[in-house]
Amino acid sequence: MKSFNFLSEDSTKKPRTNGLTMVLDKGLGYETAESLMKISGDYVDYLKFGWGTTAIQEFDVVREKVEMYKSFDIKPYVGGTLFEIAFMKSKLDEFFKEASLLGFETIEISDGTINISEDEKINCIKKASNLGFNVLSEVGKKDLVEDSKLDIDSRIDLIKREKEAGSEKIILEARESGKSIGIFDDSGNPKENEVDYILKNIKKNDIIWEAPNKNQQVYFILKIGSDVNLGNISSEDIISLETLRKGLRGDTVGKV
């Protein structure tokens, strides 16, 4: 039983289909990660091993962490940048095999750093799905100039195609900074018209909005609801985000 449980509603039990939280692991040590999950694991649904961090850690260390996260009913997965490197080096078969050996059951397919044709990306989504992986795909570019070439209709078309191809959820790119990419302006504020347009065309549960900054998390919770799917959450902000979802912080008290 949570302390002061009479002051807030219990979280929905996992596995959840909405109100998902995707957390970024940038290289946490095993003991630190396990201790963190004992406190906040109930509030984490996906755990991303950021970009290529798994490639510079010992196999057994990564596998041990993967199994630990899974013991908390969390879906750990490899960051999309590592997939892109494997694609670039024509090592996808080896990549999928290694991911499986490490215990990953979820894979991110992205093209944020390198250029992959949409047809090739769709084929990769289907291949990963056929291999038995749960697939998360990401829409958007990490480079500001390249990302600016994607208008809102193009993003919506990509979301629809990738969902149809077998992606469990579609992640909307915002990077760690949450600025100048996708639906965020140079100050990190959401572009209201674009968010509204996406919500009119895409089911809210199909999207994970990357929202690394507090003001963005507050915005989506107040606009869409406490059951909005949010991603790229810092491991330090798991509890903070959950208090926002439950109206236990000034920004959302009496509003959710």
Side-chain angles (χ1 to χ4, degrees):
M1 178 185 296
K2 302 292 191 296
S3 58
F4 297 100
N5 68 308
F6 52 87
L7 294 179
S8 67
E9 294 183 7
D10 288 337
S11 299
T12 55
K13 293 184 178 180
K14 294 189 281 188
R16 292 181 278 261
T17 57
N18 55 7
L20 304 175
T21 295
M22 177 264 277
V23 173
L24 182 62
D25 180 334
K26 296 186 286 186
L28 293 173
Y30 180 90
E31 288 80 10
T32 299
E34 184 181 40
S35 178
L36 183 62
M37 291 305 105
K38 286 179 179 178
I39 296 171
S40 57
D42 285 348
Y43 316 123
V44 180
D45 301 278
Y46 292 104
L47 200 297
K48 176 166 68 175
F49 284 64
W51 48 97
T53 54
T54 48
I56 58 170
Q57 299 177 61
E58 292 295 325
F59 182 98
D60 289 343
V61 172
V62 175
R63 182 172 175 79
E64 188 178 19
K65 279 181 67 179
V66 167
E67 292 306 314
M68 180 273 293
Y69 282 132
K70 287 162 67 174
S71 75
F72 287 92
D73 294 323
I74 294 168
K75 296 178 180 178
Y77 69 96
V78 179
T81 300
L82 201 62
F83 157 79
E84 294 178 43
I85 293 169
F87 181 93
M88 183 175 63
K89 294 187 174 184
S90 299
K91 297 287 186 180
L92 280 185
D93 289 341
E94 294 91 334
F95 171 78
F96 288 130
K97 181 179 180 180
E98 184 86 343
S100 181
L101 289 172
L102 285 164
F104 289 105
E105 298 174 359
T106 300
I107 289 287
E108 180 182 334
I109 305 294
S110 67
D111 60 347
T113 304
I114 67 172
N115 291 321
I116 304 175
S117 74
E118 185 59 16
D119 286 343
E120 288 178 307
K121 190 178 179 186
I122 292 295
N123 287 335
C124 289
I125 291 170
K126 291 179 177 178
K127 180 173 183 176
S129 183
N130 288 336
L131 287 170
F133 289 104
N134 300 313
V135 179
L136 303 176
S137 62
E138 186 174 64
V139 169
K141 295 289 187 179
K142 298 185 184 300
D143 181 80
L144 275 61
V145 175
E146 290 299 313
D147 189 74
S148 67
K149 295 176 183 178
L150 279 175
D151 61 30
I152 189 64
D153 286 310
S154 297
R155 291 182 202 274
I156 288 173
D157 181 62
L158 293 173
I159 292 169
K160 289 180 176 179
R161 286 196 65 191
E162 294 177 19
K163 188 70 174 69
E164 185 177 344
S167 290
E168 188 174 284
K169 301 289 182 184
I170 310 297
I171 302 167
L172 293 189
E173 174 73 76
R175 303 211 70 182
E176 270 190 275
S177 66
K179 295 180 180 180
S180 309
I181 295 289
I183 52 90
F184 295 116
D185 64 22
D186 292 346
S187 298
N189 297 311
K191 301 173 184 175
E192 186 88 24
N193 292 339
E194 293 194 9
V195 173
D196 287 338
Y197 194 63
I198 291 172
L199 290 171
K200 286 179 181 179
N201 289 276
I202 304 295
K203 295 177 182 178
K204 71 173 187 176
N205 287 347
D206 289 345
I207 301 171
I208 296 177
W209 308 83
E210 286 194 344
N213 301 321
K214 178 192 166 190
N215 70 298
Q216 298 161 352
Q217 296 159 17
V218 172
Y219 168 83
F220 283 116
I221 289 169
L222 295 182
K223 183 174 184 65
I224 299 176
S226 58
D227 61 347
V228 64
N229 302 325
L230 298 176
N232 259 22
I233 306 302
S234 166
S235 57
E236 298 175 351
D237 292 336
I238 301 170
I239 293 293
S240 170
L241 172 57
E242 190 63 18
T243 60
L244 290 173
R245 288 189 188 275
K246 291 186 175 180
L248 295 171
R249 193 169 180 178
D251 308 84
T252 57
V253 168
K255 300 175 183 178
V256 296

